[in-house]
Amino acid sequence: MAKKTPEQKAAEQLRYTAACGAANAAELEPFLTDPNQAVRATAAMNPDADAEILDRFANDRFWGVRVEVIRNANVGKHTLLRLLEADVGKRGVVHHEARAKLEQLGVAFGEDGMPSGA
């Protein structure tokens, strides 16, 4: 992998700063497809992100971005439920983080590791 040029690093820093400072979903939307995973994770951490944009960030292929969605106070219950993995062999940090947050919200889980009656 080639080293980033100073211009590329500066552009990345600007996007990171913009992701931190975004004030609504419209300002966060461009970061859904940002090439840098860290910038997308930063956008998902933004306290001004609403449940709808967080649900869209939850589709990210990288688990780090999905975990930041889960940790955001504005994440919707339906997004948390969607991030659970029914296949025990495929469960990872995203499933466990979503489960912990759902348990904090009072959702009961069965022995199969999935919500009971959700």
Side-chain angles (χ1 to χ4, degrees):
M1 178 181 264
K3 285 186 134 185
K4 293 178 185 172
T5 66
E7 293 81 14
Q8 289 170 320
K9 289 179 183 179
E12 195 170 87
Q13 184 60 42
L14 286 174
R15 293 192 323 270
Y16 174 80
T17 301
C20 289
N24 55 50
E27 292 178 11
L28 286 165
E29 188 167 7
F31 300 106
L32 288 166
T33 58
D34 194 276
N36 187 305
Q37 174 185 350
V39 171
R40 295 191 311 275
T42 298
M45 285 189 262
N46 187 307
D48 292 322
D50 62 21
E52 184 178 320
I53 195 76
L54 289 171
D55 190 60
R56 294 175 65 196
F57 274 106
N59 295 325
D60 200 278
R61 65 183 177 154
F62 291 100
W63 66 267
V65 176
R66 295 190 310 267
V67 166
E68 294 306 334
V69 167
I70 294 165
R71 292 177 178 169
N72 191 304
N74 300 326
V75 67
K77 184 176 175 182
H78 70 281
T79 301
L80 296 170
L81 291 168
R82 181 167 80 75
L83 289 171
L84 295 173
E85 177 59 59
D87 183 344
V88 176
K90 292 182 180 179
R91 287 181 186 164
V93 67
V94 173
H95 173 89
H96 297 292
E97 290 276 338
R99 177 180 175 160
K101 180 99 172 219
L102 285 163
E103 287 176 333
Q104 289 175 357
L105 296 173
V107 176
F109 281 75
E111 289 185 31
D112 64 352
M114 295 299 287
S116 50

